Amino acid sequence: MTELRNSAIFDRGPENPFSEFFVGRSYLNMLSTEGVTVGNVTFEPGCRNHWHIHHAASGGGQLLLCTSGSGWYQEWGQPARALQAGDVVQIPAGVKHWHGAAADSWFVHLAVEIPGEATKTEWCEPVSDEEYSKL
């Protein structure tokens, strides 16, 4: 199992206050809440968020900047994409998706909320253990 390196760029932060929308344990360190919202999200091995959609009347979406470990990203109806440190994922508004750690690795990414009008996140169903175990 890949351990989280002590050379993390940002502090891990406290347990994620949005834990009801995650399978497993994650941590959130909000780096910016003004202008552009940026959160450092740390996932324990096997942790993933539920399917969700970033809605916006215009603009919006999310950008993931992967900084440590191994993880996954998947859009609804598409195959999952393996992620490593250095990967960038651009998620347009309106796209149902999930992201999280690989089963055997911690995973850290910066979640950048793209500014837009009337933005909100819709949380959907969890990624099942059955779906996840197929990765």
Side-chain angles (χ1 to χ4, degrees):
M1 179 179 308
T2 304
E3 295 294 327
L4 186 63
R5 295 187 179 102
N6 289 332
S7 61
I9 298 170
F10 301 103
D11 289 338
R12 178 173 76 180
E15 202 162 322
N16 195 328
F18 300 99
S19 62
E20 67 187 289
F21 304 115
F22 286 71
V23 174
R25 187 174 292 156
S26 67
Y27 304 86
L28 177 62
N29 177 9
M30 291 307 299
L31 303 176
S32 173
T33 57
E34 295 183 27
V36 176
T37 302
V38 181
N40 184 65
V41 185
T42 301
F43 300 82
E44 289 187 344
C47 177
R48 66 263 187 197
N49 54 32
H50 293 193
W51 289 97
H52 60 286
I53 304 165
H54 301 284
H55 293 286
S58 66
Q62 189 177 51
L63 179 68
L64 304 179
L65 305 172
C66 305
T67 61
S68 182
S70 299
W72 293 101
Y73 168 77
Q74 185 174 16
E75 294 181 0
W76 189 259
Q78 299 298 317
R81 171 183 162 193
L83 299 175
Q84 303 292 326
D87 286 341
V88 175
V89 181
Q90 295 183 350
I91 307 164
V95 173
K96 188 174 182 179
H97 67 282
W98 70 270
H99 34 101
D104 62 350
S105 176
W106 286 79
F107 180 59
V108 184
H109 66 53
L110 298 179
V112 180
E113 299 299 322
I114 306 302
E117 293 183 30
T119 61
K120 68 175 186 169
T121 300
E122 175 188 358
W123 291 100
C124 305
E125 67 275 14
V127 176
S128 72
D129 290 340
E130 181 182 345
E131 289 175 283
Y132 185 79
S133 68
K134 293 177 183 177
L135 299 175

